[in-house]
Amino acid sequence: MARILVTGGAGYIGSHTVVELQTKGYDVVIVDNLSNSNIDVLNGIETITGIRPAFENIDCVDYVSMDRMFEKYNDIEAIIHFAASKAVGESVEKPLMYYRNNLVSLINLLQLMPIHKVKNIVFSSSCTVYGQPDILPVTENAPIKPALSPYGNTKQVGEEIIRDTIYANRSLQSIILRYFNPIGAHSSAEIGELPNGIPNNLLPFVTQTALGLRKQLMVFGNDYNTPDGSCIRDYIHVVDLAKAHVIAVQRMLNKQTKSDVETFNLGTGRGLSVLEIIKTFEEVNNVEVPYKIVARREGDIEKVWADPSYANNELGWTAVETLEETLRSAWAWELNYAQRVNAEQS
Ligand code: UFG
């Protein structure tokens, strides 16, 4: 079976995708510099699939090491490129770090692909490229709005770099996946979201607050133009998201793509407010999440949710997990992780 290079494969979406790839019989090599992930994730993957993926501790920005890696694994047929920095606020403070990490890594891969005869790359993009869409749900044809952060800009420019490169070298092809908000964890609770430090994203903050690690959750604004005043997002189970990557890889390897660069929205098609997420989390897990309403967070989009019909029809993929199951899985992972940490400390 083909070998797939998964950059950022020790991370949140990456690790879940490695599991799905292995389950379908693919060989995997993970390249990850562990800047926002932990090597222990390999144990979780191995416990689930029975296979320990090949792992290389390399920063994708390091061209020479990446070149050597491609020489070592000379059977790579496709790349899934997750490795990137992703904290919006941090990107405002450290723009050059974001441009270097996110763009140089992509440029290195695109440069090395023809040298090592790798034709296929899946790119992690984001619904952030749409900004606040004028029409909801948002389709892939919606206009790209000016980015609100250097992070968002790296996703827009990353997409452009791919299009320009493939226009100039038609032997390459790419599938660009625009993620909405991935949440939840593998049903085994062996892998899940594990942010370093104080979480930026909603769900890890919710689970850590429910556990008592944080005093209370801050809800950023209840005066938006939405039914309950809090922001609306399209929350998708990370395993659903991971499965779409396997389908994208298969589509490229089987030469089923309709153009050299294809772009798909990966979402559920359902928008949910912050307050709805908190309430449902409390109900399905029978646990309290103390929260308070605070001021709006700078740069937040008021409401966005996907029209996933293009991915549904073309990829034959649909997000199937229920919100309830997704929120249960997030909590099960947090509890399992806490138990593990306690056991190690005692
Ligand atoms: N939120 C809170 N309190 C928190 C954290 C988040 O109220 O402690 C709210 C946010 O204001 C927002 C919603 O929860 O309304 C979701 O916030 P996240 O930070 O989880 O997700 P975002 O939609 O802001 O960010 C996601 C990705 C980013 C990406 C961005 C682009 O996580 O990587 O979409 O829109 F850049």
Side-chain angles (χ1 to χ4, degrees):
M1 197 81 167
R3 186 186 291 277
I4 314 298
L5 164 62
V6 184
T7 75
Y12 174 44
I13 309 174
S15 57
H16 288 82
T17 301
V18 169
V19 165
E20 297 306 318
L21 285 167
Q22 290 182 329
T23 307
K24 291 280 180 198
Y26 288 99
D27 289 327
V28 171
V29 55
I30 294 175
V31 164
D32 201 304
N33 67 355
L34 302 176
S35 59
N36 192 28
S37 56
N38 193 306
I39 191 74
D40 291 345
V41 116
L42 300 184
N43 299 333
I45 292 172
E46 190 177 359
T47 305
I48 297 168
T49 66
I51 306 161
R52 195 166 185 87
F55 173 79
E56 298 289 332
N57 186 340
I58 299 174
D59 188 330
C60 297
V61 168
D62 178 351
Y63 182 92
V64 174
S65 298
M66 287 301 281
D67 191 23
R68 276 196 212 116
M69 186 282 305
F70 276 108
E71 264 164 33
K72 180 170 171 189
Y73 301 90
N74 58 10
D75 55 349
I76 293 171
E77 291 189 32
I79 301 168
I80 306 180
H81 182 42
F82 291 108
S85 304
K86 61 162 194 171
V88 177
E90 186 185 45
S91 81
V92 176
E93 282 156 31
K94 301 176 185 167
L96 291 180
M97 176 183 140
Y98 272 67
Y99 287 116
R100 185 188 303 278
N101 281 353
N102 294 7
L103 298 183
V104 176
S105 61
L106 176 63
I107 292 168
N108 283 348
L109 288 172
L110 291 169
Q111 245 174 338
L112 287 162
M113 284 171 71
I115 298 171
H116 295 279
K117 306 205 167 25
V118 182
K119 292 188 177 350
N120 309 302
I121 182 164
V122 177
F123 179 63
S124 296
S125 190
S126 163
C127 66
T128 190
V129 300
Y130 301 120
Q132 176 58 65
D134 301 320
I135 301 168
L136 288 167
V138 63
T139 72
E140 291 82 355
N141 299 322
I144 302 300
K145 296 271 181 78
L148 292 175
S149 69
Y151 161 77
N153 208 24
T154 65
K155 292 299 172 192
Q156 292 190 4
V157 176
E159 289 195 9
E160 285 172 17
I161 289 173
I162 288 174
R163 286 198 195 91
D164 291 345
T165 306
I166 293 181
Y167 185 77
N169 180 351
R170 293 297 171 89
S171 71
L172 303 179
Q173 59 176 343
S174 180
I175 294 183
I176 292 170
L177 300 177
R178 293 180 179 152
Y179 312 149
F180 284 70
N181 288 56
I183 60 169
H186 191 266
S187 57
S188 64
E190 291 290 340
I191 55 173
E193 190 166 10
L194 193 55
N196 281 342
I198 301 169
N200 289 302
N201 294 112
L202 179 61
L203 250 290
F205 214 109
V206 166
T207 54
Q208 291 190 11
T209 307
L211 196 65
L213 293 177
R214 316 255 160 227
K215 204 167 125 249
Q216 58 187 178
L217 169 73
M218 284 165 300
V219 173
F220 299 132
N222 68 346
D223 55 354
Y224 285 99
N225 182 23
T226 60
D228 67 22
S230 64
C231 291
I232 295 179
R233 295 288 183 274
D234 185 335
Y235 295 93
I236 175 170
H237 196 301
V238 67
V239 172
D240 277 331
L241 195 67
K243 286 179 175 162
H245 291 74
V246 181
I247 294 171
V249 163
Q250 278 165 345
R251 182 178 173 90
M252 290 195 290
L253 294 180
N254 296 340
K255 307 206 180 336
Q256 292 164 324
T257 53
K258 298 235 163 102
S259 58
D260 297 338
V261 182
E262 292 186 318
T263 306
F264 296 101
N265 280 345
L266 297 183
T268 67
R270 180 163 67 151
L272 293 163
S273 74
V274 176
L275 294 174
E276 283 174 310
I277 290 285
I278 298 170
K279 187 164 165 282
T280 313
F281 184 92
E282 291 185 323
E283 278 169 10
V284 300
N285 293 314
N286 200 16
V287 62
E288 224 182 305
V289 181
Y291 71 88
K292 69 169 176 189
I293 311 283
V294 300
R296 292 181 177 197
R297 182 170 71 175
E298 206 188 331
D300 258 341
I301 303 294
E302 182 169 86
K303 49 190 163 198
V304 62
W305 63 95
D307 179 342
S309 47
Y310 187 54
N312 299 160
N313 298 331
E314 271 301 316
L315 300 178
W317 166 91
T318 305
V320 293
E321 300 286 348
T322 63
L323 175 69
E324 288 74 14
E325 195 44 49
T326 308
L327 294 176
R328 269 189 223 114
S329 72
W331 183 226
W333 156 250
E334 185 71 61
L335 289 176
N336 194 29
Y337 183 72
Q339 260 176 8
R340 219 186 291 168
V341 171
N342 282 342
E344 275 164 22
Q345 281 167 356
S346 61

